[in-house]
Amino acid sequence: MNIPYPLLQTIHAPADLRHLPREQLDTLATELRAFLLESVSKTGGHLSSNLGTVELTVALHYVFNTPYDRVVWDVGHQTYPHKILTGRRERMGSLRQLGGLSGFPQRAESEFDAFGTAHSSTSISAALGMAMASRLKGEDRHAIAVIGDGAMTAGMAFEAMNNAGVSDCNLLVILNDNDMSISPPVGALNRYLAKLLSGQFYAAAKSASKNVLRGAPPLLELARRFEESAKGMVSRVTLFEKFGFNYVGPIDGHDVQTLVSVLENIKHLKGPQFLHVVTKKGQGYKLAEADPVAYHGPGKFDPAVGLQKSAACKPTFTQVFGDWLCDMAAADDRLVGITPAMREGSGMVAFEQRFPTRYFDVGIAEQHAVTFAAGLACEGLKPVVAIYSTFLQRAYDQLIHDVAIQNLPVVFALDRAGLVGADGATHAGAYDIPFLRCIPNVSLACPADENECRQLLSTAYAQSTPVAVRYPRGVGAGVAVTCTLDALPFGKGEIRRTGQRVAILAFGTLLYQALDAAQGLDATVVNMRWAKPLDVDLLLQVAASHEALVTLEEGAIMGGAGSAVLEALAAAGITKPVLQLGLPDKFIEHGDPAKLLALQGLDASGIEASIRTRFALTQDI
């Protein structure tokens, strides 16, 4: 009987891998890559990045005694090979689904996931903490951080390097240099790494690195394996050595034998080590190699055919933002667009093409993005920062200190607000309403649909103060989008349905679930539009004519828009029963977005049921 992946099927844990003869590792890597492609094509998920880390993953688990030795994967969207080799191969069919495997490392999921990651540039800090803990506890264990060249653009990575270089801990940092993050990497570090790869060979290497490279193929032979000319295995002095690391590399990240040889030798060195590994996103699947951005996070597809262009469908909120950005930029030459390495994800590809001098990708550097925008605003420009809600959390101090206190007119386009589905708790935009509405000078709009999103972006842009507009991932109600730049009134909502007894105050896209629920309740539905400033006049009008109020938001209940309503009622001396519906005080894991909302009681039937239960409404009302 022909068993697919015969060698891979014998690997149930890294201990099995370490029993293999070294010459079988190439075969294992080939099978692992084929299984990975087959698996992800059925479930969807991150592909290009995982295809690029197959040999590195095999080598790490072969050389190091995981999980006793700690491996921290930066971001973690390249850990599918790691999951497959650490006892989760048979569960890969559940990837990113409700109750299934996470698309990122999770400590609760496996002892081999040493640290939970999903946001960029945390690995060196975490691994350094683990290395320091091992030294303090007298344990002889290794701590390894695997970080991409895109993630190395973030300040946190260099903060950790600066600390590690003087710590004298046994820390290994592996730079997985594939010349890609999600969008192509930018900035001086990217240029520096390119120079490392394109410089001349040096005949001699430092003595420490000579020992590390013993057993690896000759330098010139290895260099010929690169598609581009490569720098010698060791430069005279590198940036990383200036930080106090022993630098080794670059080496071919798809040569598993070389990786094993080098890692075996580095394993015996003391102090902070830095290994520069060159890989290719999409390695082994020609379509992904040719277009790693398209295959970064594809849905289900046929590997034999590849991704197919879908038929024309409703525009997503991201596309609505991208179109608005181009139209507003054409109308106002003061507009500049800023993204922290999310050109495709934030819908800015067309803007970059049409307005290249007014487009700024600052790399994975959210803090810098916000303060950079503040500097632009000081000089009379109109910055629009396109950033995921979950990533704005990383620049909270800059938002307060550099933008809000100075009351600068920066527009924040907050994509992925609310639940995001398959990416799970780490990417959910659940907290922007609470953390924004408590900041003086900052306003926050919550559009109910695609057309309202465009209109409220125009409203935000027209202000001379900081304004954020939050909108979810994907499509909404499918409302036709106008091509004008017309704005809606600032801080004003509207009544969308008039009913009796109960009024539902909806903030954002759950308005349409509220309208469905209201039909069975004969309830009033208010499209509040703004979490801050709250339309207090409209709120008090509705409160005066209804027995009870319901607030509805796809965001954290604690401190959210519902809390704003309660504060306004209390300030007006009004005592009224209020039911707050939103996201509870817990992290909500990955799964289908509609299912996740239903589980939180935020679909139409759940909203209706909650209202009936809270206010003891009979079924005939």
Side-chain angles (χ1 to χ4, degrees):
M1 180 179 176
N2 184 24
I3 300 176
Y5 318 114
L7 188 57
L8 179 61
Q9 291 198 25
T10 68
I11 307 301
H12 303 288
D16 300 324
L17 169 63
R18 291 190 280 271
H19 284 122
L20 292 179
R22 185 165 156 173
E23 57 268 20
Q24 287 191 300
L25 297 184
D26 291 287
T27 301
L28 178 64
T30 298
E31 291 186 13
L32 178 57
R33 179 170 280 109
F35 177 85
L36 174 67
L37 178 59
E38 179 186 10
S39 176
V40 175
S41 71
K42 293 177 180 177
T43 62
H46 295 103
L47 181 61
S48 297
S49 54
N50 284 288
L51 290 172
T53 58
V54 168
E55 289 82 7
L56 178 59
T57 305
V58 170
L60 282 169
H61 284 297
Y62 191 76
V63 171
F64 292 98
N65 182 28
T66 55
Y68 182 78
D69 290 333
R70 313 301 197 201
V71 180
V72 181
W73 300 87
D74 208 278
V75 183
H77 62 337
Q78 76 279 43
T79 53
Y80 298 179
H82 162 78
K83 288 176 183 277
I84 293 167
L85 293 176
T86 54
R88 288 168 276 183
R89 183 183 70 249
E90 294 183 357
R91 294 187 62 203
M92 285 298 289
S94 70
L95 187 72
R96 292 158 50 94
Q97 298 169 32
L98 187 62
L101 290 179
S102 168
F104 301 98
Q106 281 191 348
R107 282 167 52 85
E109 186 177 286
S110 171
E111 64 177 338
F112 291 94
D113 292 358
F115 195 76
T117 54
H119 287 189
S120 160
S121 315
T122 63
S123 62
I124 303 176
S125 297
L128 176 59
M130 293 173 180
M132 183 63 72
S134 295
R135 191 173 78 176
L136 293 173
K137 293 162 65 178
E139 297 170 341
D140 183 20
R141 74 168 87 233
H142 296 275
I144 303 107
V146 183
I147 185 168
D149 56 309
M152 279 295 296
T153 64
M156 184 174 177
F158 286 92
E159 291 171 15
M161 293 274 290
N162 185 56
N163 188 203
V166 296
S167 70
D168 200 32
C169 283
N170 294 330
L171 170 71
L172 170 58
V173 175
I174 299 177
L175 174 61
N176 177 27
D177 184 357
N178 57 30
D179 201 34
M180 280 294 295
S181 46
I182 296 175
S183 300
V186 295
L189 178 65
N190 175 247
R191 294 180 183 178
Y192 175 75
L193 294 176
K195 288 180 180 179
L196 285 184
L197 291 174
S198 62
Q200 288 186 327
F201 276 88
Y202 294 107
K206 296 180 304 179
S207 57
S209 294
K210 284 182 180 179
N211 293 330
V212 168
L213 296 169
R214 186 184 298 123
L219 301 186
L220 290 175
E221 177 185 344
L222 179 59
R224 293 190 190 101
R225 301 180 187 181
F226 290 118
E227 293 183 2
E228 304 175 12
S229 61
K231 175 195 172 290
M233 297 301 288
V234 180
S235 71
R236 298 179 184 228
V237 178
T238 68
L239 168 68
F240 309 109
E241 287 169 300
K242 293 290 187 181
F243 273 100
F245 283 74
N246 175 50
Y247 173 88
V248 179
I251 67 171
D252 185 351
H254 297 302
D255 186 332
V256 70
Q257 300 298 331
T258 295
L259 285 166
V260 168
S261 294
V262 172
L263 289 172
E264 286 281 10
N265 289 319
I266 288 179
K267 186 177 178 180
H268 301 292
L269 299 179
K270 299 298 182 181
Q273 308 295 319
F274 193 99
L275 175 61
H276 187 173
V277 173
V278 179
T279 62
K280 187 178 184 66
K281 264 197 170 182
Q283 174 73 14
Y285 182 50
K286 295 300 182 184
L287 294 175
E289 289 180 17
D291 193 351
V293 173
Y295 285 88
H296 170 75
K300 300 177 184 179
F301 69 99
D302 182 350
V305 177
L307 299 178
Q308 301 295 300
K309 289 186 177 180
S310 57
C313 57
K314 297 184 294 185
T316 65
F317 280 94
T318 302
Q319 290 168 330
V320 170
F321 164 74
D323 292 342
W324 171 85
L325 188 66
C326 289
D327 293 344
M328 186 60 79
D332 186 348
D333 60 11
R334 297 176 300 162
L335 185 149
V336 290
I338 302 167
T339 176
M342 297 300 294
R343 180 186 64 182
E344 287 80 12
S346 293
M348 297 184 73
V349 173
F351 178 78
E352 181 200 18
Q353 293 169 347
R354 290 182 57 185
F355 307 96
T357 62
R358 293 154 65 186
Y359 166 81
F360 300 97
D361 183 344
V362 301
I364 302 176
E366 294 87 358
Q367 293 174 311
H368 165 60
V370 172
T371 304
F372 175 58
L376 289 164
C378 282
E379 299 302 318
L381 297 183
K382 295 280 288 185
V384 177
V385 180
I387 187 168
Y388 289 7
S389 171
T390 187
F391 295 147
L392 184 60
Q393 296 164 186
R394 312 189 85 186
Y396 195 56
D397 179 64
Q398 289 70 25
L399 178 63
I400 296 172
H401 182 272
D402 301 330
V403 175
I405 289 178
Q406 302 184 94
N407 205 19
L408 294 171
V410 178
V411 173
F412 295 93
L414 303 188
D415 204 327
R416 272 65 167 179
L419 298 180
V420 291
D423 283 337
T426 56
H427 284 61
Y431 314 109
D432 50 58
I433 298 178
F435 77 63
L436 285 174
R437 77 174 194 87
C438 67
I439 304 174
N441 295 333
V442 175
S443 302
L444 176 60
C446 309
D449 54 49
E450 298 88 336
N451 191 52
E452 198 165 275
C453 182
R454 182 181 174 99
Q455 293 172 309
L456 287 173
L457 284 165
S458 292
T459 306
Y461 188 80
Q463 306 310 308
S464 58
T465 56
V467 185
V469 181
R470 75 185 306 261
Y471 48 90
R473 183 177 189 171
V475 299
V479 174
V481 180
T482 61
C483 295
T484 68
L485 293 172
D486 294 342
L488 290 170
F490 180 78
K492 296 298 180 182
E494 63 171 356
I495 295 176
R496 291 288 293 266
R497 184 186 192 279
T498 301
Q500 302 178 32
R501 296 186 61 184
V502 174
I504 306 173
L505 312 179
F507 295 83
T509 54
L510 290 182
L511 169 73
Y512 289 90
Q513 301 287 357
L515 289 169
D516 288 343
Q519 292 182 22
L521 298 166
D522 191 22
T524 292
V525 177
V526 183
N527 177 19
M528 293 299 292
R529 283 187 182 145
W530 293 86
K532 184 184 179 183
L534 200 65
D535 190 342
V536 176
D537 291 340
L538 180 59
L539 169 63
L540 297 183
Q541 171 193 332
V542 172
S545 56
H546 292 80
E547 298 175 17
L549 302 177
V550 178
T551 63
L552 179 63
E553 58 196 301
E554 192 175 339
I557 291 176
M558 295 183 70
S563 296
V565 168
L566 289 171
E567 292 162 10
L569 292 174
I574 296 174
T575 302
K576 184 77 62 171
V578 178
L579 170 64
Q580 294 174 263
L581 299 178
L583 300 180
D585 184 26
K586 67 178 182 179
F587 293 112
I588 297 172
E589 292 300 329
H590 51 277
D592 176 75
K595 290 181 180 178
L596 293 177
L597 283 174
L599 286 172
Q600 306 309 317
L602 297 178
D603 59 348
S605 60
I607 294 167
E608 181 177 353
S610 294
I611 294 172
R612 288 189 180 279
T613 300
R614 174 65 174 80
F615 300 117
L617 301 182
T618 60
Q619 291 297 319
D620 59 352
I621 292 180

